[in-house]
């Protein structure tokens, strides 16, 4: 049978994630995490849930670094692999990570199968989480806390550090989730799948779009 490509595994996982994600949540392709990299699919809502994908044409070489990076932000993480990577993934995956497999059947259809559920990740970094926000979002959050005085000309990292120092994990996650889901022009994979949103950027790769949106707001 032909290998499962990146596009095929992404479309399969995106449908599965979108079908199980609450309507008020946002499902984003190629979600950028500052300088730490980008996770393939992120579901942003009451919980921050990340999905890293490995097609037949990928390797697991970057997975250890990716697990450390993504664990700083997401409440739950799941690795989705093809059958080719399943045995090795079982050996190297962190215990908190969920595991799923996308398999191709003899009639050339793809199916998503959960192997184990994700449990809450450990080692989250509040500063990294706060740095998901754009500068204007950080200022609005600090304004709401009456904590922006003397910081209006501060850099984005300085604002993120201040916000992280003033909030607990749960409060910060609510602030970050609310800001991201309210963004205009953000690439919502769930909405695009359902046909609910028509974007002028529909033919632009999500990777390029995410990078461009971030650079516009920094």
């Amino acid at each position: 049978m032909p290998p499962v490509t990146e596009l095929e595994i992404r479309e399969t996982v995106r449908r599965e994630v979108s079908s199980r994600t609450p309507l008020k949540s946002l499902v984003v392709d190629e979600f950028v995490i500052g300088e730490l990299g980008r996770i393939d699919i992120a579901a942003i809502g009451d919980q921050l849930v990340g999905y890293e994908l490995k097609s037949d044409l990928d390797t697991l070489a970057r997975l250890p670094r990716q697990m450390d990076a993504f664990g700083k932000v997401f409440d739950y993480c799941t690795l989705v692999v093809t059958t080719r990577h399943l045995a090795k993934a079982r050996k190297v995956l962190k215990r908190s990570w969920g595991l799923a497999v996308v398999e191709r059947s003899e009639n050339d259809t793809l199916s998503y199968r959960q192997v184990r559920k994700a449990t809450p990740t450990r080692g989250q970094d509040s500063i990294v989480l706060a740095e998901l926000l754009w500068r204007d979002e950080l200022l609005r959050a600090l304004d709401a806390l009456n904590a922006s005085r003397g910081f209006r000309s501060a850099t984005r990292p300085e604002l993120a550090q201040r916000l992280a120092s003033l909030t607990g994990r749960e409060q910060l996650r609510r602030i970050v989730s609310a800001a991201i889901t309210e963004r205009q022009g953000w690439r919502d994979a769930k909405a695009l799948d359902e046909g609910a949103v028509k974007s002028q950027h529909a033919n632009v790769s999500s990777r390029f779009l995410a990078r461009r949106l971030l650079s516009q707001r920094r």
Side-chain angles (χ1 to χ4, degrees), residues 1-3 8 103-111:
M1 286 186 286
E8 287 178 315
E103 301 168 300
R104 189 188 299 278
S105 67
E106 292 183 358
N107 64 359
D108 202 30
T109 60
L110 296 174
S111 62

Side-chain angles (χ1 to χ4, degrees), residues 64-158:
R65 180 181 62 79
Q66 290 172 324
M67 287 190 291
D68 289 339
F70 303 153
K72 294 180 184 296
V73 168
F74 292 98
D75 300 298
Y76 297 90
C77 294
T78 293
L79 175 68
V80 186
V81 298
T82 59
T83 306
R84 172 191 172 192
H85 299 300
L86 185 57
K88 184 175 181 180
R90 289 180 187 271
K91 296 178 181 179
V92 302
L93 202 60
K94 287 189 174 183
R95 294 179 64 180
S96 63
W97 276 59
L99 179 62
V101 60
V102 170
E103 301 168 300
R104 189 188 299 278
S105 67
E106 292 183 358
N107 64 359
D108 202 30
T109 60
L110 296 174
S111 62
Y112 179 100
R113 176 169 63 88
Q114 183 172 284
V115 177
R116 77 182 195 206
K117 292 184 178 181
T119 59
T121 57
R122 297 180 179 180
Q124 286 120 334
D125 188 315
S126 293
I127 294 178
V128 175
L129 179 59
E131 286 180 340
L132 295 180
L133 297 178
W134 293 332
R135 189 175 186 280
D136 58 336
E137 294 168 341
L138 287 163
L139 280 172
R140 284 199 298 270
L142 291 172
D143 282 340
L145 296 171
N146 295 316
S148 62
R149 184 174 181 180
F151 282 83
R152 304 208 69 83
S153 60
T155 65
R156 183 166 163 264
E158 289 170 339

